[in-house]
Amino acid sequence: MLDCCEPLEKVKVSGISFSKVACLAHCNGAEVDTFRTNESTVGNFRNYVISCTSSENCHMIVSYHRGSLKQTGGGHFSPIGGYHAGKDMVLILDVARFKYPPHWVPLTFLWDAMNTIDKDTGLYRGFMLLSRFQTASSILYTLSCRNDGWDTTAKYLSKQLPQLLSSEEIHNIQDMLSVIVTSAPTNLSDFINWVAEVRKQENGSKLVTEEERGRLVTKEEVLNQVRETELYKHLSGSSYMRNAILDRHHSLDTIASEVCCQGAQLLCGKVGSCNEISLKTTQLRSSDCDNVESVTVVSAKVTAEDAVCGTEMLVPSCPRKSGSPCECGSDTSNREHPSVVDGLTVLILALPPDTWSCLKDAKLLENFCGIISSNNLPDLLQQEILHLRKQLYFLVADVCCSSAC
């Protein structure tokens, strides 16, 4: 759950930035509003403290430097648990309770501790407000910072791509998409991942539960909606996507190996690297009835730290259309798992609308904006796109400001 915006191994070593914490909350279903101190005032901060500590529906996390409060350590995050109006003090529920139990500090002292610059990003610290999100979080896709070079991809999408689209040589949608794909960093497709459900393998289990089947059906509905978009049809029929489609890095076996290894580490408590893994793809039903459609399950035996852990990955899939390109490593059945083209379709749909404002051809701009407008998408896919757009906003905030791109 806590591994969507920054790999946990990196967080344990280097900590995590303000924007990444906001992204993490967003990925796990929270509505997040962020305020850096250079964009707010101590008066506004006080008003939000009073509001949040008087409500069960809002929670505040502060990012501050411990040194400003005469504490040992550097940058730190903790939630606010209360406010004393008479003394203008806030209660910090320090997450490092072994070091500092919950304690009261003057609100202005805390503001000064927040009004400091994170040397890693060059940005001011601040506070964020968390509340329950009124709609579901992402269903099938998430942006990933796990692979090296994700920051290069984020910069490309947010800064370089709009400049490339200002070319006079772009006359139609295929020209646009060719520029997007062929000019991108080689790891563009690694920046967006489809989400797989992983469970611990139970001896003798031959079924998926109704709840598991229900979640899988929802993922598959999103996948079907992606493939019905005009953007997908443009991408899937293009010659410049062939190399991406034939990349073994995105085969089901390769994806399953990585996912099942991560699953074994989490579900079986094995924190070391996976020494060996064997995979088997099967079809399971949610009941013994013959008329219930089966689902694809990849079973894995993972050896880590000299122990064997069995995991299973439930694979969302959709019917393979006649003539559709087959990714290397896909099975030969009439169904296929999410592809590179699916992921790039979703990623392009999730880019901010002003990405396309540099297009010179007004008619092309109007036509393309009509194709990618979230207002024209089915409800499930629209929610997915808006969720990813907010996630992208948080991820781009750090990399662009820290590199002055």
Side-chain angles (χ1 to χ4, degrees):
M1 290 176 62
L2 303 179
D3 201 37
C4 62
C5 299
E6 188 84 297
L8 288 177
E9 314 89 75
K10 183 176 179 180
V11 175
K12 291 174 183 177
V13 174
S14 307
I16 188 169
S17 70
F18 183 83
S19 291
K20 292 282 182 61
V21 170
C23 181
L24 188 62
H26 176 68
C27 289
N28 285 278
E31 178 73 36
V32 188
D33 292 307
T34 57
F35 303 86
R36 296 186 186 273
T37 54
N38 61 321
E39 302 167 340
S40 185
T41 66
V42 66
N44 286 336
F45 175 55
R46 181 179 291 106
N47 291 337
Y48 282 121
V49 167
I50 294 171
S51 175
C52 275
T53 54
S54 304
S55 169
E56 295 182 355
N57 300 318
C58 175
H59 305 277
M60 177 184 285
I61 294 175
V62 291
S63 168
Y64 59 101
H65 196 284
R66 281 194 182 279
S68 299
L69 298 179
K70 309 301 182 185
Q71 298 175 351
T72 59
H76 192 58
F77 294 93
S78 284
I80 297 300
Y83 175 68
H84 191 295
K87 295 184 178 180
D88 194 31
M89 299 182 78
V90 293
L91 177 62
I92 298 178
L93 301 179
D94 200 314
V95 293
R97 294 174 68 100
F98 69 95
K99 190 173 183 180
Y100 295 101
H103 52 278
W104 292 92
V105 300
L107 183 143
T108 53
F109 284 21
L110 178 57
W111 174 263
D112 290 340
M114 293 191 301
N115 194 28
T116 53
I117 293 178
D118 179 351
K119 60 180 176 59
D120 291 328
T121 65
L123 300 173
Y124 279 87
R125 297 182 171 88
F127 62 97
M128 61 187 75
L129 309 179
L130 276 63
S131 57
R132 183 183 297 275
F133 201 54
Q134 298 305 310
T135 58
S137 56
S138 65
I139 299 169
L140 182 59
Y141 286 97
T142 186
L143 301 182
S144 173
C145 303
R146 176 170 291 277
N147 297 294
D148 291 338
W150 73 266
D151 51 346
T152 302
T153 301
K155 294 172 192 174
Y156 168 74
L157 294 172
S158 60
K159 297 296 180 183
Q160 297 169 22
L161 180 57
Q163 297 172 6
L164 292 170
L165 293 174
S166 65
S167 169
E168 299 282 359
E169 301 301 317
I170 297 178
H171 303 294
N172 53 51
I173 291 177
Q174 286 302 323
D175 288 344
M176 285 183 58
L177 297 179
S178 177
V179 167
I180 294 171
V181 175
T182 59
S183 303
T186 55
N187 55 3
L188 173 66
S189 57
D190 292 333
F191 190 50
I192 183 163
N193 292 169
W194 54 275
V195 178
E197 183 166 346
V198 183
R199 67 183 187 179
K200 195 171 182 178
Q201 194 173 47
E202 302 293 344
N203 292 331
S205 174
K206 298 294 184 182
L207 300 173
V208 295
T209 67
E210 290 295 338
E211 291 82 2
E212 289 169 336
R213 176 63 185 158
R215 290 192 292 270
L216 204 58
V217 166
T218 305
K219 291 178 187 291
E220 291 172 346
E221 178 60 24
V222 172
L223 182 57
N224 282 316
Q225 290 180 1
V226 170
R227 296 194 172 189
E228 290 300 319
T229 63
E230 288 298 316
L231 180 60
Y232 173 84
K233 294 170 185 176
H234 280 288
L235 281 169
S236 60
S238 62
S239 58
Y240 45 80
M241 287 301 301
R242 296 298 170 181
N243 290 337
I245 291 171
L246 296 175
D247 185 358
R248 283 202 64 86
H249 179 67
H250 297 282
S251 71
L252 182 57
D253 284 351
T254 303
I255 294 170
S257 294
E258 181 179 352
V259 170
C260 289
C261 181
Q262 293 177 29
Q265 292 170 336
L266 292 170
L267 297 173
C268 304
K270 304 300 179 183
V271 297
S273 60
C274 300
N275 302 324
E276 184 180 346
I277 184 168
S278 60
L279 301 173
K280 179 182 179 182
T281 302
T282 56
Q283 301 292 320
L284 300 182
R285 289 187 169 91
S286 55
S287 74
D288 290 321
C289 299
D290 291 336
N291 62 345
V292 176
E293 187 174 358
S294 61
V295 301
T296 303
V297 176
V298 179
S299 303
K301 292 292 185 182
V302 181
T303 303
E305 296 183 355
D306 298 325
V308 178
C309 179
T311 58
E312 293 178 331
M313 181 180 83
L314 280 60
V315 182
S317 61
C318 67
R320 176 176 291 139
K321 295 182 178 180
S322 60
S324 67
C326 177
E327 292 193 21
C328 186
S330 295
D331 59 50
T332 57
S333 73
N334 62 348
R335 299 184 68 84
E336 56 186 349
H337 68 279
S339 69
V340 173
V341 183
D342 299 317
L344 291 180
T345 300
V346 172
L347 182 58
I348 292 172
L349 288 172
L351 294 178
D354 61 3
T355 301
W356 321 108
S357 61
C358 292
L359 285 168
K360 301 293 187 183
D361 188 321
K363 186 175 181 180
L364 174 60
L365 174 61
E366 181 182 4
N367 185 22
F368 188 71
C369 286
I371 289 175
I372 55 103
S373 172
S374 59
N375 293 330
N376 297 332
L377 300 175
D379 287 345
L380 274 179
L381 183 55
Q382 183 184 80
Q383 291 177 23
E384 190 86 343
I385 295 306
L386 295 178
H387 175 91
L388 290 169
R389 189 172 293 167
K390 188 70 174 287
Q391 189 182 4
L392 180 63
Y393 166 81
F394 287 127
L395 294 179
V396 166
D398 280 351
V399 295
C400 282
C401 291
S402 61
S403 62
C405 69

